[in-house]
Amino acid sequence: MGWKAPELIDYAADLKCDTLLISDLDALGSLDDDNLRAVRRRADAAGIGLYAGSWSICPTSKTFKKNWGTAEEHLRLGLRVAKTLGSPVFRVVLGSMDDRKTEGGIRARIADTVAVLKACRADALAAGVKVAIENHAGDMHSWELLDLINAAGRDFVGANIDSGNAIWTLEDPMDVLETLGPVTLCSSLRDDMAWETPEGAAVQWTAAGDGLIDWKAYAARWAQLCPKVPIMIETISGGPRMFPYKQPEFWRHYDKRTEKLAKFEALMRRGRQIPAFKAPAGPEGRKATQDHQRSELEKSIRYLRETVGIGVRA
């Protein structure tokens, strides 16, 4: 939408949301304390709890950008921003599935990320802000993210769980919740559809209620594993992504665990191919995309609120 913090807060208030994750520092505008305190006051007035986030803190990730300085400078900046906004966490990522193909594989990138986290441990504890690492864009299996969190230290590091990205590592989102729920601090959730292809699987993100997740069961288990963590929705509905996991070459870059894959395949067999969203060409395309994504977000919140019973203010 191109919105900054004020517009995001107002929109969240219109939807009667309880919390808002602003996952990009650029959306906050100026990062000086005066502006951040003004953003916090606006959210407080709307009755919305703010969660702050940014992107890669792995200096060797293909997704890492130097626009916020070194990885450690980026993390320390985010911790200050989160503290000033009143956010209990600073959400970050390692990278993407492309990092699985780098020298040393994802385990080397995990080690580099752990080193950055440990270097900033004192800063996080002093700020009273925990670092939430997302399972992002197929970068880590849930057990790999858990290993990262344990290596860095659960006293200041946990997970931002993403049910959409879970399926990009060929995992059942419910199984990922079982693994990461006890260490989850933040969330960016959506639904998933998957279906079998000759080479493996196609997966497509959807609005909540349009995919394969049993949200009543998911929410009930969430309440047991991480009851103080808000369920926040990040819908990015569009087209399918193909995962040719039946090809031996695929597993050069992924950790094949038979019992985990079996759970994904059982989920996939319940799925079906669904239409992809495609924006029209020309200047109408951007508005059509915005209208579609906004509709998917509102549909998700409405479904979770009315059908599943999620939401304090609602």
Side-chain angles (χ1 to χ4, degrees):
M1 301 301 295
W3 290 341
K4 297 296 185 182
E7 291 87 359
L8 292 168
I9 291 169
D10 291 350
Y11 181 55
D14 287 344
L15 295 179
K16 295 183 172 60
C17 290
D18 309 302
T19 56
L20 168 67
L21 167 59
I22 300 179
S23 60
D24 194 324
L25 294 177
D26 286 327
L28 293 166
S30 170
L31 299 183
D32 67 69
D33 284 349
D34 285 345
N35 180 65
L36 294 174
R37 282 193 285 265
V39 170
R40 180 174 181 175
R41 287 195 298 271
R42 192 183 191 103
D44 287 345
I48 294 171
L50 286 180
Y51 281 65
S54 189
W55 298 99
S56 176
I57 59 162
C58 176
T60 54
S61 168
K62 288 191 172 186
T63 65
F64 181 75
K65 296 180 181 179
K66 297 181 179 180
N67 53 333
W68 302 112
T70 66
E72 291 179 22
E73 289 169 342
H74 184 183
L75 181 50
R76 291 190 176 102
L77 170 64
L79 291 169
R80 176 182 69 80
V81 168
K83 179 182 179 181
T84 307
L85 289 174
S87 171
V89 307
F90 181 53
R91 167 270 193 189
V92 295
V93 306
L94 184 157
S96 73
M97 64 176 65
D98 290 339
D99 292 314
R100 303 194 70 87
K101 301 177 183 179
T102 56
E103 185 176 355
I106 198 64
R107 287 290 175 177
R109 306 291 75 76
I110 288 172
D112 294 339
T113 305
V114 168
V116 171
L117 288 162
K118 285 186 173 180
C120 298
R121 177 177 180 273
D123 303 89
L125 294 176
V129 173
K130 293 190 175 183
V131 183
I133 312 286
E134 183 175 323
N135 56 316
H136 184 256
D139 58 358
M140 289 179 285
H141 292 289
S142 59
W143 55 88
E144 292 167 335
L145 177 51
L146 183 62
D147 288 346
L148 183 158
I149 292 165
N150 287 334
R154 289 193 186 192
D155 58 336
F156 77 108
V157 181
N160 178 93
I161 196 167
D162 188 308
S163 54
N165 291 328
I167 211 163
W168 278 23
T169 51
L170 304 183
E171 296 181 73
D172 180 339
M174 180 65 84
D175 195 40
V176 170
L177 176 58
E178 291 295 331
T179 301
L180 295 177
V183 295
T184 292
L185 305 170
C186 191
S187 68
S188 46
L189 306 181
R190 67 186 77 90
D191 213 336
D192 309 288
M193 182 58 74
W195 60 93
E196 191 170 11
T197 67
E199 296 79 22
V203 302
Q204 186 167 324
W205 294 337
T206 75
D210 287 347
L212 293 169
I213 294 177
D214 180 342
W215 284 100
K216 289 185 177 180
Y218 194 92
R221 192 65 178 130
W222 188 280
Q224 294 171 337
L225 294 173
C226 44
K228 295 183 180 179
V229 180
I231 285 179
M232 292 185 276
I233 303 304
E234 176 198 18
T235 49
I236 313 175
S237 302
R241 178 177 286 267
M242 304 300 170
F243 290 85
Y245 74 88
K246 294 179 183 178
Q247 308 301 320
E249 174 71 12
F250 179 87
W251 296 104
R252 282 184 57 200
H253 307 296
Y254 286 86
D255 182 7
K256 188 174 184 179
R257 298 195 175 186
T258 304
E259 72 283 4
K260 300 292 187 181
L261 182 59
K263 291 178 180 179
F264 166 79
E265 289 182 322
L267 182 75
M268 177 183 66
R269 291 189 191 102
R270 293 174 31 225
R272 57 181 176 82
Q273 185 172 353
I274 57 175
F277 168 77
K278 186 174 182 180
E284 300 85 6
R286 177 174 172 79
K287 184 178 187 305
T289 298
Q290 290 176 330
D291 290 346
H292 175 71
Q293 297 299 349
R294 185 167 171 169
S295 173
E296 291 284 280
L297 173 64
E298 293 174 7
K299 180 180 182 181
S300 295
I301 292 174
R302 186 167 57 251
Y303 171 82
L304 293 171
R305 180 175 288 154
E306 296 175 0
T307 304
V308 185
I310 292 174
V312 177
R313 292 176 69 189

